[in-house]
Amino acid sequence: RRAPSDAFLLPELARLDVVDTTPIFCDGGRCLAGKDGVSYYIDNHHLSVEGARIVTRKILPLLGVSAETAGNG
């Protein structure tokens, strides 16, 4: 059962696109929490700054923006 606040958001949620980040951090059934001493997460659910940079570089082209244009190069 959804909470009443969820019902309020449902029309807005229909306009959202969801980006699956699994392919960014996982390959062949193995998912990395970090690499070369750099963590991609600060806890179980939140990306670190470096993890966010990696995801941003993958998402920006979907929005038609280059990483360099966005200052994320």
Side-chain angles (χ1 to χ4, degrees):
R1 180 173 171 226
R2 289 192 169 108
S5 61
D6 288 349
F8 175 75
L9 293 174
L10 285 177
E12 295 299 318
L13 292 176
R15 299 183 331 174
L16 296 177
D17 289 323
V18 176
V19 176
D20 182 7
T21 60
T22 304
I24 297 171
F25 298 109
C26 302
D27 184 23
R30 183 174 160 213
C31 300
L32 299 175
K35 186 175 179 183
D36 298 328
V38 178
S39 179
Y40 299 149
Y41 295 90
I42 59 171
D43 61 27
N44 288 339
H45 303 288
H46 299 94
L47 291 169
S48 67
V49 171
E50 185 56 30
R53 282 187 182 124
I54 292 168
V55 171
T56 300
R57 285 192 295 266
K58 298 292 185 175
I59 291 175
L60 286 177
L62 300 174
L63 300 173
V65 178
S66 73
E68 292 77 23
T69 301
N72 230 349

